[in-house]
Amino acid sequence: MTALSRRAFLLGSMTLTPTFTTLRSAASTLRVVCLDYGLAQTLIEIGVPPVGLIDTPSWSDWAVEPPLPLGIANMGSAHEINMELLQLLKPDLILSTPYLEWVRPQLELIAPVKSFPIHALGTSPYPNIVAATLELGRLLGRSVEAEALVERTENELEAAKGQAQQLGKLAVMTFIDPRNIRFYGPGGNFQDVLDRLGLENAWTRPANEWGFSDAGMADLFEVGENWLFYMDPVPADVLTALPGSPLWQSMPFVQKGRARRMESVLMFGTLPSMTRLARLLVKATT
Amino acid sequence: MRRNALQPWLWIGVLWLAALGIAAINLWPSFTGLSLVSLISTPSPDNSRAILAHYSLLPRLVMAGVCGFALGLSGMLFQHVLRNPLASPSTLGVEAGAQLALGAAMLWFPAILGWNRDISTALGGFAVMGIVFAVGWKFKFSPVVVILTGMVTGLYCTAIVTLLTLMNDHYLAGLFIWGGGSLNQNDWRQLAALAPKIAGCTLLALILLKQLEVLTLGDAAQALGVRVQTIRASALFIAVALTAFTVSAVGIIGFLGLAAPAIARAVGARRIASRLVAASLAGAALLIIVDQLVQLYSTATGTALPTGAVTAVIGAPVLLLLMLRRNMPNAIAVQGRALIVATARPRSLLAGLALLLVTVALVAVFVGRGIDAGWASQTGDVLRSLLPWRVPRLVAAISAGVLLALSGSLLQRLTGNALASPEVLGVSAGTALGLLCMLFVVAQPTYGHRLIAGFSGAAMVLAVLFAVNRRSHAGNQFLLFGVSLGALLTALVSVILASGDPRALFLLSWMAGSTYGVTSTLAWISAVFAVVGVALAILLARPLQQFTLGDVSAHAHGVDIQRFRALILGLSALLTAIATLVVGPLSFVGLMAPHLAQRLGLPRGTAHILGSAMFGAVLMATADFVGRTIYFPWQLPTGLVATLLGGPVFAVLMIRSSSKSTQH
């Protein structure tokens, strides 16, 4: 019932059907500009890398996987997309997020716009990500590749499950500065991965609709003796402050040797981010 | 008499009782069962409750007290020395300077942060102080010049911080928390470092107490052989140091340095000695109250708010009410009546400005950069495809520049106050607040939603302005209202930004003055309003001129003051609302353009209005072109670039013309 209504919703939002039908037949030469890192991950995985992407220089810091192919134009920041450059690139399709709805009229002057609601819908993002992946595959004539990506992700997560079990309960967070931290919880991409791997989140406070909550260093006590992963990038002053901090040193998980630094994973990512997190967690057990 | 002298301390006592009461409610569940010894001495590693209390809750409580004390003292020193109840660490730009230094260090010299975070922030605070001092010294620390320099420098720093944030939003999340003033503590180390510095500054202030008392005499002090300048400079130095140390430890605690002295005055502390003590104690109690409430809220909801932003959210309206009730006996209007010589040939100056505007507009339309980022002057079909992206934003930018300049010009005439401008008046902030509310009601706002919300916000400010208008005739009331509202907006935005809410993306770019969401319809609507605005302003120029000579003179010339004032306020609020929807609330063109016109020799009448409008237009058109091309493919928001471009020009003109007038 819910699956049906979601499908109906996606179909209903396809107001530009005629254009897309013609797009599909010419998929091999399709020029897509992507205004979201998460969707770009999926595009690269299904073999239709975008011709333009926002903030390309930061990709290697935040998304990391999959590696960004060469020759993708930098569209500027998501706050203010370079419209002239967008016009000059002559894209066939622009992929956007609900947070850029307010410039949709302008974007539509250049090319058809498709926006994918994934986060903050009151559900966990995983089914939305899968739906978006399949929808992208269908739109771009890459349904086979999209289905393969979904299946590959399921298999990888399933395979990681066994080995990750020994972590038991764990929390994932990032340091904002030496005194403030951000935890990832229900409603976010990372929680989905934990659920898939049969792991329990040691951070039990409610998260906001995007799946994270801000806290102070003292709140780390709630993690107890469970594993704690703090994600890159870690501010320089945090790294120097931790060893000398009596509060940090007296945390049960630090005393048990269960605090680990972890490479960056895109928190608003799609399937490639989820497998990346699973892989990094498994790596931590060895 | 005796009861009067005691009254302030009764109120301060009540404030402290409230602070301790709230602290007790918040901390009791965590402290029960813990002995006093375990709270004070180093707890054993297996007692997690004692560790939490000893390393986090207790230092945070003390930190709130110390920071509140320092900011209260700092604010009172500023206000006493500058003889201006609007002076505070925020209005003098010290906090913004410190914040900019921290942002720069985060991006380019992260090693400094790893070594000592305080150093970079203190450097920034003292650098801004250096600028304000350098200008202030030249003008014998004239309150007007110091406040104006501080405000403009502060705005400038904030603009650069916003720009850095827009370009690097992933990295600077910490800057927002810091900008919002988080009092979280991990141990006593930070407090141990801060407390001696604050104590030292307090001691210096106490030593200066006698001389500060003499300052109250004003110019008569000079005759008594007191070196007024030296006293003022030392007191300002102490005040800045207090702010810089506090801010480098916990971030910007918005409004506290303005609110605490206001409370001290409101409860009836008269002499400077008692005012300094009352302001410090009030500041400490106030910050403890807010911080403990923030902790209670966080425990109840799981949402951590930055304390410094919350102080501003609470402090702004409270201060407003206080001021409205008391009718501000100490208010001194910031008069900007430097001797300015009118140019002999206003027509040729205006013609030159018009030529400049046309040139800039032509360049903005025909020049851009290609896919390979090389400079190019596009032609033919390519140009035709690019025009929809160049023309509307250019038209919108120019219109907004004209509208803001007109609004600023009207307000500066009306109030005779050099700092009156739509940005300071709070109409820009009102528009922004309307928009902010809308973001949480409508999930996917269209341009229509934003338009309605923005207008409602501006209209609400307008309504309150009129209510204030009926009660009192002092021009400063409007300014104070605007300053409070602006602080409220900044605080709300930093709360939202610190919460990491992705909706802030849109908010931030609009706040910075991005014109890229402007449709051609909106651009042309703004243009029509700009033309009508110029016509109306010219019609009003003559009666407005009477206002610069004072209310009495205006009345003598048959101007119905109340109605006329309301008309001017209404008009400038409307002009501001239209412009703000296009370029955001932070461009400060409304403050700068009328000054530029004045300093270059168009001090009054129709020529002044046309000149201001033209300066606004040129500034925004240049900003539009520069923002679009200078850092290609990145797009810099027009409003922000206008502030960055106009700031130095503004400063140079201020210094040059002022030194000319002192030579007379």
Side-chain angles (χ1 to χ4, degrees):
Chain A
M1 170 76 192
T2 44
L4 227 167
S5 59
R6 184 178 300 117
R7 182 140 194 88
F9 168 73
L10 280 173
L11 283 172
S13 65
M14 288 279 304
T15 48
L16 302 151
T17 323
T19 336
F20 282 122
T21 324
T22 52
L23 288 181
R24 220 173 299 152
S25 54
S28 53
T29 55
L30 205 62
R31 296 171 63 80
V32 182
V33 167
C34 189
L35 306 180
D36 178 64
Y37 270 10
L39 296 175
Q41 287 181 311
T42 306
L43 283 181
I44 297 168
E45 285 287 334
I46 64 173
V48 195
V51 292
L53 174 67
I54 50 155
D55 196 4
T56 48
S58 297
W59 179 274
S60 55
D61 291 336
W62 297 95
V64 191
E65 283 184 63
L68 204 60
L70 289 175
I72 296 183
N74 181 7
M75 304 309 296
S77 87
H79 305 286
E80 190 155 353
I81 297 140
N82 192 323
M83 291 294 190
E84 277 191 33
L85 188 58
L86 192 60
Q87 178 80 58
L88 291 171
L89 282 175
K90 297 200 179 94
D92 302 306
L93 175 65
I94 299 169
L95 292 183
S96 174
T97 71
Y99 305 105
L100 293 172
E101 263 328 274
W102 65 288
V103 281
R104 184 189 266 268
Q106 277 87 325
L107 296 174
E108 278 176 345
L109 294 177
I110 296 175
V113 179
K114 185 80 179 85
S115 164
F116 290 90
I118 289 176
H119 299 278
L121 298 178
T123 62
S124 87
Y126 185 56
N128 307 329
I129 294 175
V130 170
T133 306
L134 295 176
E135 179 72 9
L136 266 178
R138 203 177 60 73
L139 273 177
L140 303 173
R142 300 275 168 154
S143 288
V144 180
E145 287 85 348
E147 277 159 27
L149 173 61
V150 174
E151 203 181 310
R152 195 160 71 233
T153 308
E154 290 279 357
N155 291 342
E156 273 194 53
L157 291 174
E158 193 60 39
K161 193 171 183 174
Q163 210 180 339
Q165 280 301 305
Q166 50 181 294
L167 290 172
K169 224 168 161 183
L170 61 93
V172 183
M173 55 152 255
T174 42
F175 279 103
I176 296 169
D177 66 23
R179 294 175 289 133
N180 297 283
I181 51 185
R182 176 163 292 172
F183 272 105
Y184 300 101
N189 207 354
F190 294 174
Q191 182 69 43
D192 282 332
V193 176
L194 298 188
D195 293 346
R196 291 266 140 184
L197 299 182
L199 298 170
E200 208 179 324
N201 197 336
W203 179 253
T204 49
R205 286 202 206 168
N208 65 13
E209 41 191 319
W210 287 274
F212 61 84
S213 60
D214 290 344
M217 177 87 104
D219 299 314
L220 278 171
F221 264 113
E222 292 174 29
V223 175
E225 294 191 349
N226 301 298
W227 285 91
L228 178 95
F229 293 93
Y230 52 101
M231 209 169 259
D232 273 340
V234 185
D237 48 347
V238 173
L239 285 179
T240 52
L242 287 184
S245 161
L247 192 63
W248 173 259
Q249 292 302 335
S250 59
M251 291 292 164
F253 53 84
V254 174
Q255 300 198 326
K256 289 262 174 186
R258 286 181 172 171
R260 288 276 189 282
R261 190 171 168 180
M262 186 189 249
E263 290 171 53
S264 170
V265 181
L266 187 64
M267 78 158 293
F268 293 115
T270 50
L271 298 179
S273 274
M274 298 180 69
T275 45
R276 177 174 166 80
L277 180 62
R279 212 174 317 121
L280 290 173
L281 285 174
V282 166
K283 205 169 109 190
T285 63
T286 56
Chain B
M1 233 24 236
R2 210 179 139 64
R3 262 179 69 191
N4 256 351
L6 269 179
Q7 194 193 7
W9 308 114
L10 280 176
W11 281 111
I12 299 293
V14 168
L15 204 58
W16 268 93
L17 276 180
L20 295 177
I22 292 167
I25 293 170
N26 179 44
L27 298 176
W28 190 250
S30 312
F31 282 9
T32 43
L34 294 174
S35 64
L36 193 65
V37 179
S38 71
L39 280 178
I40 295 167
S41 60
T42 308
S44 65
D46 55 334
N47 188 350
S48 69
R49 289 185 65 229
I51 290 172
L52 195 65
H54 179 75
Y55 286 124
S56 178
L57 298 174
L58 213 52
R60 181 168 178 169
L61 176 69
V62 181
M63 187 58 120
V66 170
C67 293
F69 180 92
L71 287 173
L73 182 59
S74 168
M76 194 68 243
L77 281 173
F78 276 133
Q79 299 195 358
H80 180 69
V81 173
L82 302 175
R83 285 187 289 172
N84 189 329
L86 290 182
S88 77
S90 339
T91 46
L92 293 169
V94 180
E95 288 175 330
Q99 194 186 22
L100 171 60
L102 188 79
M106 267 183 187
L107 280 177
W108 295 301
F109 312 103
I112 295 180
L113 291 190
W115 173 52
N116 188 336
R117 191 187 184 86
D118 292 1
I119 288 215
S120 54
T121 50
L123 268 182
F126 277 107
V128 170
M129 172 204 71
I131 295 168
V132 178
F133 263 41
V135 179
W137 191 274
K138 212 170 152 187
F139 301 104
K140 304 191 168 92
F141 289 96
S142 140
V144 191
V145 178
V146 172
I147 283 273
L148 206 57
T149 318
M151 266 189 77
V152 173
T153 318
L155 293 176
Y156 207 73
C157 295
T158 313
I160 301 173
V161 168
T162 314
L163 204 59
L164 292 179
T165 314
L166 283 172
M167 296 297 113
N168 304 278
D169 57 310
H170 295 294
Y171 292 103
L172 296 183
L175 196 57
F176 285 125
I177 293 269
W178 187 87
S182 163
L183 285 165
N184 277 342
Q185 295 296 306
N186 299 341
D187 46 57
W188 293 89
R189 285 181 297 179
Q190 214 177 8
L191 196 58
L194 179 67
K197 298 176 203 162
I198 301 299
C201 291
T202 311
L203 200 67
L204 287 176
L206 286 178
I207 294 173
L208 268 183
L209 208 56
K210 269 256 143 34
Q211 281 90 335
L212 285 175
E213 197 102 41
V214 177
L215 272 191
T216 326
L217 301 175
D219 292 337
Q222 196 96 47
L224 290 174
V226 180
R227 300 192 56 198
V228 175
Q229 285 193 31
T230 318
I231 299 168
R232 281 184 173 169
S234 327
L236 282 180
F237 191 89
I238 297 169
V240 174
L242 280 167
T243 312
F245 291 139
T246 313
V247 156
S248 71
V250 298
I252 292 178
I253 305 290
F255 239 70
L256 204 75
L258 196 58
I263 291 177
R265 224 180 277 119
V267 298
R270 297 207 187 284
R271 298 180 51 170
I272 179 60
S274 50
R275 274 187 182 177
L276 283 176
V277 177
S280 315
L281 293 178
L286 208 59
L287 194 52
I288 289 175
I289 291 175
V290 174
D291 188 49
Q292 296 295 321
L293 285 176
V294 163
Q295 290 181 47
L296 281 172
Y297 177 80
S298 172
T299 318
T301 63
T303 311
L305 295 175
T307 307
V310 176
T311 52
V313 172
I314 300 170
V318 169
L319 185 71
L320 190 65
L321 288 176
L322 268 178
M323 290 299 173
L324 286 183
R325 260 204 20 227
R326 286 182 50 83
N327 218 18
M328 298 244 309
N330 294 306
I332 297 156
V334 185
Q335 307 286 348
R337 297 217 189 110
L339 294 169
I340 292 152
V341 187
T343 177
R345 290 178 299 169
R347 269 164 211 275
S348 50
L349 188 59
L350 285 176
L353 276 173
L355 195 68
L356 187 63
L357 177 60
V358 171
T359 315
V360 174
L362 284 177
V363 170
V365 167
F366 288 103
V367 181
R369 293 173 77 162
I371 295 185
D372 58 351
W375 289 91
S377 161
Q378 285 91 349
T379 49
D381 283 345
V382 180
L383 178 66
R384 215 163 296 138
S385 75
L386 290 179
L387 283 183
W389 305 113
R390 289 185 183 167
V391 176
R393 53 178 284 170
L394 180 67
V395 170
I398 290 178
S399 313
V402 170
L403 289 165
L404 287 174
L406 287 177
S407 179
S409 186
L410 290 178
L411 290 169
Q412 286 175 16
R413 301 283 110 170
L414 183 71
T415 55
N417 196 319
L419 289 185
S421 82
E423 297 88 357
V424 179
L425 180 80
V427 182
S428 307
T431 314
L433 282 177
L435 207 78
L436 197 63
C437 297
M438 182 270 304
L439 279 180
F440 288 88
V441 180
V442 187
Q444 298 185 358
T446 64
Y447 215 88
H449 287 126
R450 303 202 292 144
L451 214 60
I452 294 166
F455 268 121
S456 329
M460 235 166 63
V461 174
L462 192 61
V464 180
L465 273 179
F466 280 137
V468 174
N469 189 19
R470 216 166 291 142
R471 278 209 201 176
S472 152
H473 301 266
N476 268 333
Q477 302 273 3
F478 302 121
L479 287 197
L480 200 58
F481 181 79
V483 172
S484 320
L485 205 61
L488 184 66
L489 171 72
T490 319
L492 280 176
V493 169
S494 42
V495 167
I496 293 166
L497 288 175
S499 72
D501 194 324
R503 276 177 289 208
L505 269 184
F506 151 72
L507 195 68
L508 197 62
S509 59
W510 175 76
M511 288 270 295
S514 161
T515 46
Y516 100 128
V518 171
T519 58
S520 55
T521 324
L522 189 83
W524 292 112
I525 291 175
S526 314
V528 169
F529 273 112
V531 173
V532 175
V534 172
L536 282 177
I538 288 175
L539 279 179
L540 291 170
R542 189 175 294 272
L544 202 55
Q545 195 61 41
Q546 307 300 338
F547 263 85
T548 55
L549 304 172
D551 283 4
V552 181
S553 158
H555 195 69
H557 283 78
V559 180
D560 180 350
I561 293 173
Q562 285 288 2
R563 195 168 293 176
F564 188 73
R565 199 195 294 265
L567 178 71
I568 296 287
L569 280 175
L571 179 62
S572 45
L574 184 67
L575 298 178
T576 310
I578 298 158
T580 304
L581 276 172
V582 177
V583 293
L586 294 175
S587 72
F588 285 88
V589 171
L591 178 64
M592 292 190 290
H595 273 283
L596 292 177
Q598 201 171 23
R599 304 280 162 185
L600 284 185
L602 299 171
R604 59 185 148 266
T606 311
H608 172 74
I609 285 175
L610 286 175
S612 303
M614 221 88 92
F615 265 113
V618 169
L619 204 54
M620 289 302 280
T622 314
D624 175 67
F625 176 68
V626 169
R628 213 186 65 210
T629 53
I630 196 92
Y631 192 39
F632 192 89
W634 304 92
Q635 304 282 283
L636 310 183
T638 309
L640 208 55
V641 176
T643 311
L644 294 180
L645 288 177
V649 181
F650 184 61
V652 168
L653 282 176
M654 281 298 293
I655 291 171
R656 272 192 43 207
S657 64
S658 300
S659 53
K660 240 187 272 168
S661 66
T662 42
Q663 278 162 15
H664 281 299

